[in-house]
Amino acid sequence: MTTLHTFHGGVHPPQHKQESSESAIAQAPLPSRLVLPLQQHIGAQAKPLVRAGDQVLKGQMLARAEGMVSAAIHAPTSGTVVAVDLHAVPHPSGLPELCITLAPDGEERWVEHAPLDYRALPRDQLLTRLRDAGIVGLGGATFPTHVKLNIGETAGIHTLVLNGAECEPWITTDDRLMRERAAEIVQGIEVMRHLLNPAATLVGIEDNKPQAIAAMQQACANTGIEVIAVPTLYPTGGEKQLIKILTGKEVPSGGRPLNIGIVCSNVATAYSVHRLVNHGEPMISRLVTVTGNVKTPRNYEVLIGTPIAELEKLAGVLPGSDGYILGGPMMGLYVSNSELPVVKSSNCIIVKSRALFPPLPPALPCIRCTRCAAVCPAELQPQDLYWFARARDFGKAQKFHLFDCIECGACSYVCPSNIPLVQYYRFAKSEILAIERDKEAANLARERHEFHQLRLERDKQEKAEKLAQKEKAALAAKAAAPAPAQAATTEAKANDSAQQLPAQQLPAQQLIEAAIARAKEQAATARAKNTEALTPQQQADIAEIEARRAKVREMSHPDADSPKE
Amino acid sequence: MFSPFISQATSVRAIMFKVMLALLPAIAVYVWYYGPAILVSITLASITALITEAAMLKLRGRPIAPFLRDNSALLTAWLLALSIPPLAPWWLVVVGTMFAISVAKHLYGGLGSNPFNPAMIGYAVLIISFPLQMTHWLTPHGLGQLELSVMQQLQYIFSGQLPGGATLDAVTMATPLDTLKTQLHLGRMPEEVLGMPIYGHLGGIGSEMVALAYLLGGAYLLANRIITWHLPAAFLASLFVTAGIFHLADPAHYVSPVFHWFSGAAMLAAFFILTDPVTSPTTLRGKFIFAAGAGFLTYIIRVFGGFPDGVAFATLLMNICVPLIDTYTQPRVFGQKDEK
Ligand code: SF4
Ligand code: SF4
């Protein structure tokens, strides 16, 4: 039996899980249109393989993984590609992105597909299959699974952690999945174990899901996989927090689980791996909790690309609704556009109403009460970070480990002054990343400019040299007649200047090298401490954060959090 | 609209309100031993605080209503009123409160930004400017030859007149803490002094009960998680240890640590003054250092200084150190285990 550990802080927001957790998973009907963003994962955008007008089959690859960290996109059903263009996507920026729009033909004709004998496949081929099946982490981060499992032969993973904690309120997809499809999840876990060969495999589930725990325990009997009930406490489902609870180990500040010999994956991801291996199916659907201000909250098996509007129709929206929260109330994203599609990371759609989510009172100044610090799972000092972010003292913010903040929102949740702390952290992070990018760009530009200047200089000198040689030749010709003594002095002079030329060129080259070295050095020092160790996820967040900047900029106004009368 | 979309039902207003609630037992004890004068000074201080707060917010161009509703000015007013003699002329309360709110709070940036505890600044200004009025405490019920009626107390507060031309000395006395210091200076032995009728079991009659009432209020705050145990415990422990060392070394000149706990404003400081979040450190180790320092200084100022109590100046001195303490006591963050 594993002894459980604890992480610092945490909060107990009202759960609201019962609403949707007691009905069985239902299949959402085929929508009239599917919108598939090419960027549904962390890493490079997938590259489209189809054009408008193409007929495609269910499960057919529509866009391929581009580069190492990327994932493919597939047709969730058969039909016609009607567009490959910009469409609104569920993204904090609110900016449209490249999407493939598919009109289903209703025939559900599958592309050729077959189960894999994964044990017989060489590991790189199995990883490639995972990539080409578009499988990404479903815990929210959508990190491509083939990258996560590609740890090389020698990495020495001792523990595989499966995350079934599902700590965010309202969301119940993993709960239902574990209750109804535990055996399938375990088959997916077996594939992961095959690739990682860990000494221990632990499944962590919050103890507010006793049926899921029982189902998983039954499915894991005699497999060596240990199912562990962990206390219900937000954010236990945070990767670093769950690892701490189950193993007592802390992922180093700025590091990844891999650094301590651990890989952590979501139970729903394991289920997707099972669909690929045992049915040959790529990631074309996922479970989505539709809940909140609706008549019948429940979980649906939804084709990727299904617009929110279709799902809210199924659940029956009640009066008083004003938009949607995608994800949970602690970390989710508010959107108002019902045309946005379900993407691979969409685990929950909460139909919002003022009754369920009353607007928060206006923010007051921070009173330094440290309630935020008391609940911060990253053990940060949120009140200090807030202060630095507000004062745009980004250096200090980084020194105080801003980039270790997991944006869980626990601090904002308890803040008696109702300060939107997380927004300030996002703002500060995006500003820091932007500043650094600007700096790098400026350094590059300066490097180029200096190089250009030096080349001009060199060209000038070369010309001067040629000129001098010409003159010398001319002089020599002239001097052939006059006194030899005079010619000798002229020659000596010419020689002098000729000798000087290479001497002048030498420093020029040194200057170029020095300039390059300096630029490199500046680039190195410009890269701030904490960003060096950015995980791929964080790097991918950069783009997202960047887009948020415009929105949160206004918040940097010093009086932004003063209450309005 | 941004995540998180939900929030725990705490507010600055509710926190301040609960702290005020926790002061009620002490106020009741005050009324029992010293008559209703304290209610008058609390009312005067409250009104002054609200008016000053509103005026300062207006001058600073800040919204008035949300800040007036946060109860922080009221709490400052109550704490100040409880720190000064209950039978004080009206202008003493008003001047102290105005100074606390306008200078100590708003000139330093208002709620959340003031480095010094406003109530203690108010107290310090008064004791330096009006030492006479600040050292005359009402004689507790049952001890004096002359007891003032409600009307007589009111009359004194607003007009400075006592009935039948009585002098202030007839109805007031120095605090038990002050008396002890004076008597010890006169060369009397502690047992002898503490045998005087103004002393009870723990401290002075009346004031020891007030201290117990603060302790009760503190327990309520702890139970409701409005404050944490670190600051009160470190302060009381440090005061106890400091007093204990002196007492053990020279019992002929230094009274027991228990007396120091239950005299003057020690309990008020432990649970209501040092625990002001704005002016205390944010780190755990910092809290210990801050409160322990305040306990030590309180003793030193009480015993060796010229003021009747040491709490206010000890608090203010430690307030100065808060930024420094915070800087040097930053805890490790998650995943940083091996660095320290
Ligand atoms: S909880 Fe809010 S008011 Fe309290 S210290 Fe943190 S940020 Fe400041
Ligand atoms: S959002 Fe960041 S600072 Fe706030 S509690 Fe979570 S990890 Fe800590």
Side-chain angles (χ1 to χ4, degrees):
Chain A
M1 191 57 213
T2 321
T3 46
L4 290 186
H5 303 260
T6 54
F7 65 90
H8 175 263
V11 292
H12 287 282
Q15 306 228 330
H16 290 289
K17 300 230 185 213
Q18 294 290 325
E19 284 91 328
S20 58
S21 66
E22 300 316 307
S23 328
I25 299 167
Q27 178 69 47
L30 198 60
S32 57
R33 189 150 292 216
L34 291 161
V35 178
L36 304 157
L38 294 175
Q39 182 84 63
Q40 298 187 38
H41 49 265
I42 288 194
Q45 177 172 302
K47 198 173 171 115
L49 302 171
V50 291
R51 258 183 272 164
D54 287 0
Q55 299 290 318
V56 296
L57 296 173
K58 181 168 184 154
Q60 180 180 333
M61 194 191 287
L62 301 184
R64 65 175 163 79
E66 182 78 348
M68 184 55 202
V69 183
S70 183
I73 309 286
H74 301 79
T77 183
S78 58
T80 314
V81 174
V82 291
V84 181
D85 60 2
L86 293 178
H87 189 280
V89 295
H91 189 279
S93 69
L95 298 173
E97 273 181 22
L98 204 55
C99 298
I100 298 173
T101 306
L102 186 67
D105 56 16
E107 293 176 24
E108 298 268 35
R109 273 176 298 133
W110 264 97
V111 75
E112 212 175 295
H113 64 296
L116 314 177
D117 181 2
Y118 69 88
R119 288 180 198 279
L121 273 182
R123 68 179 285 118
D124 54 335
Q125 278 188 31
L126 177 53
L127 290 170
T128 308
R129 292 297 295 262
L130 285 167
R131 185 187 70 177
D132 291 343
I135 295 180
V136 300
L138 294 182
T142 59
F143 189 69
T145 301
H146 69 276
V147 184
K148 193 175 252 185
L149 298 180
N150 184 12
I151 46 112
E153 310 276 339
T154 53
I157 293 298
H158 57 77
T159 309
L160 169 63
V161 169
L162 274 298
N163 193 338
E166 202 164 51
C167 60
E168 266 259 17
W170 294 92
I171 309 176
T172 57
T173 54
D174 291 347
D175 185 7
R176 283 315 308 185
L177 188 73
M178 289 186 285
R179 286 197 214 184
E180 297 183 33
R181 303 175 191 174
E184 290 88 339
I185 293 173
V186 172
Q187 288 178 42
I189 296 175
E190 292 295 2
V191 180
M192 296 181 173
R193 291 172 90 194
H194 169 72
L195 279 167
L196 299 172
N197 197 21
T201 304
L202 311 173
V203 185
I205 306 172
E206 274 194 349
D207 58 13
N208 59 357
K209 296 181 261 298
Q211 285 151 295
I213 294 169
M216 285 298 287
Q217 265 164 350
Q218 202 187 342
C220 291
N222 305 321
T223 58
I225 302 172
E226 209 177 330
V227 178
I228 300 162
V230 296
T232 300
L233 175 67
Y234 180 85
T236 290
E239 181 175 76
K240 293 180 174 186
Q241 283 64 42
L242 188 63
I243 290 173
K244 174 84 191 281
I245 294 174
L246 294 177
T247 67
K249 294 202 169 66
E250 288 191 4
V251 177
S253 165
R256 293 199 288 150
L258 202 58
N259 301 140
I260 50 169
I262 294 174
V263 167
C264 181
S265 184
N266 192 269
V267 286
T269 315
Y271 178 76
S272 302
V273 172
H274 148 79
R275 294 302 301 180
L276 169 68
V277 167
N278 294 330
H279 301 272
E281 294 177 12
M283 189 175 270
I284 53 170
S285 71
R286 66 155 300 143
L287 294 191
V288 181
T289 305
V290 183
T291 183
N293 196 35
V294 294
K295 243 179 263 143
T296 50
R298 79 184 299 168
N299 283 287
Y300 291 95
E301 174 102 46
V302 181
L303 294 183
I304 305 289
T306 305
I308 294 173
E310 305 261 349
L311 293 174
E312 69 171 356
K313 249 185 272 161
L314 290 180
V317 175
L318 296 172
S321 301
D322 59 351
Y324 316 89
I325 296 170
L326 305 184
M330 293 298 286
M331 294 182 76
L333 171 70
Y334 172 80
V335 299
S336 55
N337 181 359
S338 67
E339 286 311 308
L340 297 180
V342 162
V343 291
K344 290 176 182 175
S345 63
S346 313
N347 47 7
C348 183
I349 296 167
I350 304 175
V351 178
K352 200 184 145 299
S353 73
R354 283 176 81 92
L356 288 175
F357 298 95
L360 304 180
L364 285 173
C366 167
I367 57 166
R368 294 169 42 93
C369 67
T370 65
R371 281 169 172 73
C372 49
V375 298
C376 176
E379 297 174 52
L380 305 175
Q381 300 287 313
Q383 77 284 351
D384 291 334
L385 291 178
Y386 159 66
W387 184 256
F388 299 141
R390 227 178 88 118
R392 300 175 142 264
D393 191 347
F394 298 132
K396 268 278 186 53
Q398 276 189 289
K399 202 168 147 251
F400 279 61
H401 306 278
L402 174 67
F403 281 92
D404 281 330
C405 165
I406 60 169
E407 300 183 16
C408 67
C411 50
S412 307
Y413 176 72
V414 297
C415 177
S417 290
N418 293 302
I419 303 170
L421 294 166
V422 183
Q423 273 318 106
Y424 281 95
Y425 307 150
R426 287 180 186 147
F427 161 74
K429 284 182 188 177
S430 61
E431 286 295 287
I432 291 168
L433 294 171
I435 288 167
E436 260 152 41
R437 214 179 15 237
D438 290 354
K439 246 191 229 165
E440 250 161 60
N443 279 333
L444 204 68
R446 186 170 49 236
E447 195 178 315
R448 279 206 202 109
H449 177 74
E450 280 175 12
F451 191 77
H452 184 67
Q453 289 291 316
L454 286 165
R455 213 172 45 196
L456 288 182
E457 192 83 350
R458 197 184 55 197
D459 288 354
K460 227 196 294 178
Q461 281 172 348
E462 272 170 8
K463 265 183 204 153
E465 187 188 359
K466 275 183 193 150
L467 205 69
Q469 270 167 356
K470 260 188 206 163
E471 270 174 14
K472 193 178 115 188
L475 276 175
K478 263 190 192 172
Q486 209 188 338
T489 46
T490 328
E491 200 160 348
K493 270 185 195 162
N495 266 345
D496 272 359
S497 60
Q499 269 163 4
Q500 273 165 14
L501 280 172
Q504 274 170 354
Q505 268 177 355
L506 189 68
Q509 267 161 2
Q510 277 173 344
L511 276 178
I512 294 175
E513 274 161 16
I516 293 172
R518 194 167 58 239
K520 273 186 187 153
E521 200 175 87
Q522 277 166 347
T525 46
R527 199 184 304 271
K529 212 173 119 204
N530 274 323
T531 52
E532 276 166 10
L534 282 186
T535 61
Q537 182 195 335
Q538 284 170 322
Q539 277 166 350
D541 281 348
I542 297 172
E544 175 181 327
I545 286 167
E546 169 65 8
R548 284 181 186 141
R549 290 175 64 205
K551 280 194 170 182
V552 291
R553 263 242 168 78
E554 68 230 34
M555 295 184 50
S556 71
H557 187 261
D559 286 342
D561 67 353
S562 294
K564 306 267 165 347
E565 267 181 298
Chain B
M1 211 173 304
F2 306 111
S3 65
F5 301 93
I6 49 178
S7 147
Q8 214 174 36
T10 47
S11 63
V12 175
R13 177 182 163 80
I15 291 172
M16 301 287 172
F17 180 72
K18 283 188 180 163
V19 179
M20 289 163 73
L21 267 188
L23 288 169
L24 290 181
I27 294 172
V29 173
Y30 254 105
V31 174
W32 172 260
Y33 278 101
Y34 307 99
I38 186 71
L39 299 179
V40 179
S41 46
I42 284 180
T43 312
L44 274 175
S46 300
I47 294 169
T48 312
L50 289 179
I51 292 173
T52 315
E53 176 98 346
M56 290 308 292
L57 287 169
K58 184 137 183 72
L59 282 177
R60 292 177 57 222
R62 295 302 169 110
I64 295 174
F67 281 107
L68 272 193
R69 290 178 73 249
D70 70 22
N71 285 337
S72 65
L74 280 181
L75 179 59
T76 299
W78 285 33
L79 291 173
L80 179 63
L82 288 167
S83 305
I84 65 182
L87 191 68
W90 65 271
W91 51 265
L92 193 72
V93 185
V94 170
V95 168
T97 313
M98 274 175 60
F99 198 88
I101 300 288
S102 60
V103 178
K105 182 176 182 184
H106 281 286
L107 289 192
Y108 281 99
L111 179 70
S113 300
N114 48 298
F116 299 106
N117 188 307
M120 291 301 100
I121 289 276
Y123 175 90
V125 165
L126 293 180
I127 195 137
I128 291 169
S129 317
F130 313 104
L132 188 72
Q133 286 81 356
M134 286 292 284
T135 43
H136 280 80
W137 283 68
L138 269 172
T139 311
H141 172 67
L143 283 182
Q145 317 90 329
L146 178 64
E147 278 188 30
L148 296 177
S149 70
V150 177
M151 285 319 289
Q152 287 165 335
Q153 285 196 344
L154 279 177
Q155 193 189 5
Y156 175 77
I157 291 172
F158 289 104
S159 71
Q161 298 296 315
L162 284 170
T167 60
L168 193 57
D169 287 333
V171 293
T172 61
M173 59 176 211
T175 62
L177 201 56
D178 220 2
T179 310
L180 176 76
K181 187 150 68 179
T182 324
Q183 296 295 331
L184 289 177
H185 272 298
L186 294 176
R188 297 177 70 180
M189 294 297 285
E191 307 89 75
E192 207 183 330
V193 181
L194 295 183
M196 289 165 65
I198 61 163
Y199 293 100
H201 299 289
L202 301 166
I205 285 189
S207 57
E208 63 184 8
M209 296 311 284
V210 174
L212 282 172
Y214 285 139
L215 188 60
L216 184 72
Y220 165 80
L221 292 181
L222 283 171
N224 277 273
R225 296 169 187 244
I226 301 294
I227 60 172
T228 55
W229 59 271
H230 312 91
L231 287 166
F235 173 79
L236 291 175
S238 155
L239 178 60
F240 195 92
V241 168
T242 313
I245 290 171
F246 278 95
H247 179 63
L248 284 180
D250 187 1
H253 286 97
Y254 302 101
V255 296
S256 85
V258 175
F259 179 85
H260 279 282
W261 267 13
F262 290 95
S263 296
M267 286 294 167
L268 180 69
F271 294 100
F272 296 91
I273 302 290
L274 294 172
T275 50
D276 168 26
V278 176
T279 55
S280 58
T282 51
T283 66
L284 214 55
R285 277 188 298 152
K287 285 180 193 199
F288 283 119
I289 295 171
F290 170 80
F296 174 76
L297 288 175
T298 295
Y299 185 83
I300 300 297
I301 298 170
R302 268 184 180 182
V303 175
F304 305 106
F307 294 104
D309 198 350
V311 161
F313 291 101
T315 306
L316 294 175
L317 282 173
M318 291 313 293
N319 284 162
I320 301 178
C321 309
V322 167
L324 200 69
I325 295 176
D326 274 345
T327 308
Y328 286 101
T329 54
Q330 282 300 316
R332 61 154 218 120
V333 304
F334 185 96
Q336 229 194 358
K337 196 142 259 169
D338 306 324
E339 282 186 26
K340 279 187 185 161

